[in-house]
């Protein structure tokens, strides 16, 4: 599909070029956001020490991942358990860099990139392809097109990645070899059916699909308004960055209750996996929401409001501006090639 921006058609870029642009954006986002989450986890570990089988969420700015604290001496030597006292966020950045080296701020990143980069490539490439198909193939017009394309693209990406994330969690929590993992998966399928590989899919979809729809709806709207204000036909890096931050923050706030439910569900499932407990039936999203409401009231469903916005807004801004920059680069390359041919 041809790439188009505000003001009409521009040089077409191929799906492979879209994939390269989104993959580069995913790497840059992970490199930017990971240090923030590493510091957050180290501060959490200082306040509430992690014990054997305890799970916590790690985010590289693109996806949430379960980490399980293992038993034995290895638990105290891992990146999230180094015995250093921090008085705050800035102090943590300084001490980790000084005493453990700069590379420690990106601890835990390589394994998560194996999941995050392919998921992001699928998601962003599918969004562009779906949006263009709906607009220029089917002939749909209006601001709801990005919302629909974003929701469908995210649904596809989550469905593809969900079994792989479950497998990754099992390998990490139980320290399984590939041959043992094959037996474990076969046993899970026999006991719970093929759909057991998509356990936890529901809460993920309920958070990520509405988030994606709202994000792209607001992004395209804000981007178009900023382009109009600055009287430009194509979004600059700063326009994409601003639109990404604003739309990311708005989507994060509106989908926060689903994020709270998904976090609780992920941690519960991860800890059950680490203890080798088989899960025949898990609580529904509505049941978990009721439990949170009963325990903590409506405030419980909006717990972590500021940390989520602070993490999501810059991650969305870096990802989308890098992606748009990459697409603009390939558009220029393709345009130059066309001129040389003619």
């Amino acid at each position: 599909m041809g790439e188009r921006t505000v003001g009409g058609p521009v040089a077409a870029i191929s799906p492979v070029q879209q994939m390269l642009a989104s993959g580069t954006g995913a790497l840059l986002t992970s490199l930017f956001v990971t240090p923030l989450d590493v510091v957050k986890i180290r501060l959490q570990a200082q306040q509430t020490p992690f014990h054997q089988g305890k799970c916590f969420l790690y985010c590289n700015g693109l996806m949430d991942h379960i980490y399980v604290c293992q038993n034995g001496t290895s638990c105290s030597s891992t990146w999230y358990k180094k015995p250093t006292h921090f008085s705050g966020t800035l102090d943590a950045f300084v001490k980790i860099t000084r005493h453990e080296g700069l590379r420690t701020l990106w601890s835990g990143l390589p394994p998560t990139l194996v999941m995050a980069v392919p998921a992001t490539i699928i998601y962003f490439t599918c969004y562009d392809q779906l949006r263009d198909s709906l607009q220029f193939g089917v002939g749909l017009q209006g601001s709801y097109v990005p919302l629909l394309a974003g929701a469908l693209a995210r649904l596809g990406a989550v469905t593809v990645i969900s079994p792989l994330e479950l497998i990754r969690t099992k390998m990490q929590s139980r320290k399984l070899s590939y041959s043992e993992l094959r037996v474990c998966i076969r046993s899970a399928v026999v006991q719970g059916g093929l759909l057991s590989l998509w356990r936890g899919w529901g809460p993920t979809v309920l958070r990520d699909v509405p988030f994606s729809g709202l994000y792209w709806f607001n992004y395209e709207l804000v981007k178009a308004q900023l382009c109009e204000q600055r009287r430009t036909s194509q979004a600059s890096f700063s326009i994409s960055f601003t639109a990404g931050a604003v739309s990311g923050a708005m989507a994060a706030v509106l989908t926060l209750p689903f994020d709270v439910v998904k976090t609780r569900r992920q941690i519960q499932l991860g800890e059950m996996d680490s203890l080798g407990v088989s899960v025949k039936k898990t609580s529904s999203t509505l049941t978990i929401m009721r439990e949170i409401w009963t325990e903590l009231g409506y405030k419980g469903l909006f717990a972590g409001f500021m940390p989520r916005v602070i993490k999501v807004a810059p991650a969305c801004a870096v990802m989308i501006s890098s992606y748009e920059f990459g697409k603009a680069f390939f558009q220029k390359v393709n345009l130059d090639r066309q001129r040389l041919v003619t």
Side-chain angles (χ1 to χ4, degrees):
M1 284 290 168
E3 267 307 298
R4 292 166 174 85
T5 54
V6 179
V10 294
I13 68 170
S14 68
V16 172
Q17 289 174 327
Q18 288 175 337
M19 291 168 73
L20 287 169
S22 57
T24 304
L27 286 170
L28 290 172
T29 304
S30 298
L31 290 171
F32 172 75
V33 176
T34 296
L36 303 175
D37 219 52
V38 167
V39 167
K40 183 201 77 176
I41 289 165
R42 292 288 293 274
L43 289 169
Q44 283 178 346
Q46 179 177 280
Q47 291 168 0
T48 311
F50 298 132
H51 54 266
Q52 180 189 347
K54 178 69 178 174
C55 286
F56 62 90
L57 276 185
Y58 167 92
C59 179
N60 57 19
L62 300 166
M63 293 177 71
D64 296 329
H65 299 275
I66 287 288
Y67 258 84
V68 185
C69 184
Q70 307 293 350
N71 59 354
T73 54
S74 62
C75 187
S76 60
S77 63
T78 47
W79 62 270
Y80 51 85
K81 291 280 286 180
K82 292 286 177 70
T84 312
H85 180 76
F86 309 117
S87 59
T89 302
L90 187 61
D91 184 54
F93 271 110
V94 172
K95 284 183 178 174
I96 289 171
T97 305
R98 184 183 299 163
H99 301 303
E100 302 170 34
L102 197 62
R103 288 177 61 185
T104 308
L105 291 172
W106 285 272
S107 300
L109 178 61
T112 68
L113 283 181
V114 174
M115 302 293 299
V117 173
T120 306
I121 288 171
I122 293 167
Y123 171 43
F124 275 78
T125 306
C126 283
Y127 168 75
D128 271 344
Q129 295 292 313
L130 281 166
R131 183 200 61 201
D132 286 354
S133 294
L134 290 169
Q135 285 181 337
F136 306 109
V138 180
L140 296 177
Q141 297 299 323
S143 54
Y144 67 88
V145 172
L147 189 149
L148 184 59
L152 289 172
R154 195 63 178 180
L155 181 64
V158 168
T159 304
V160 170
I161 294 296
S162 192
L164 302 177
E165 176 65 9
L166 185 70
I167 289 166
R168 190 197 67 83
T169 305
K170 282 184 181 291
M171 285 192 75
Q172 191 233 335
S173 62
R174 300 188 194 176
K175 292 185 176 178
L176 300 175
S177 66
Y178 284 103
S179 59
E180 290 171 328
L181 179 66
R182 200 160 45 245
V183 173
C184 180
I185 291 168
R186 194 181 295 123
S187 173
V189 170
V190 169
Q191 288 177 12
L194 194 63
L195 289 177
S196 64
L197 294 177
W198 278 269
R199 195 181 67 196
W201 176 86
T204 305
V205 164
L206 279 172
R207 182 195 70 170
D208 289 2
V209 171
F211 177 94
S212 181
L214 290 165
Y215 170 76
W216 287 109
F217 172 80
N218 288 309
Y219 173 73
E220 299 289 2
L221 208 62
V222 173
K223 183 176 77 168
Q225 287 174 349
L226 290 173
C227 283
E228 193 178 330
Q229 284 175 11
R230 299 187 189 183
R231 296 178 182 178
T232 177
S233 62
Q234 192 165 353
S236 63
F237 184 88
S238 62
I239 287 174
S240 298
F241 191 93
T242 305
V246 170
S247 54
M250 290 171 71
V253 172
L254 292 169
T255 58
L256 187 57
F258 295 115
D259 181 62
V260 172
V261 170
K262 181 178 179 284
T263 300
R264 180 176 284 208
R265 183 77 162 274
Q266 274 185 301
I267 290 172
Q268 283 175 353
L269 292 175
E271 289 178 356
M272 285 176 178
D273 268 340
S274 70
L275 298 171
V277 177
S278 63
V279 186
K280 293 182 181 177
K281 189 177 179 181
T282 55
S283 302
S284 68
T285 300
L286 191 60
T287 303
I288 295 172
M289 277 188 167
R290 282 174 180 162
E291 287 173 2
I292 294 169
W293 185 282
T294 305
E295 290 172 23
L296 306 165
Y298 76 92
K299 289 182 180 178
L301 292 171
F302 289 89
F305 167 81
M306 280 309 294
R308 177 158 162 78
V309 172
I310 289 167
K311 181 171 68 177
V312 170
C316 286
V318 172
M319 180 63 218
I320 194 64
S321 54
S322 303
Y323 180 54
E324 295 281 24
F325 182 84
K327 289 197 297 180
F329 169 78
F330 285 120
Q331 285 165 6
K332 188 177 181 302
V333 168
N334 292 349
L335 203 59
D336 290 342
R337 281 178 186 168
Q338 286 173 14
R339 284 171 183 164
L340 284 172
V341 172
T342 55

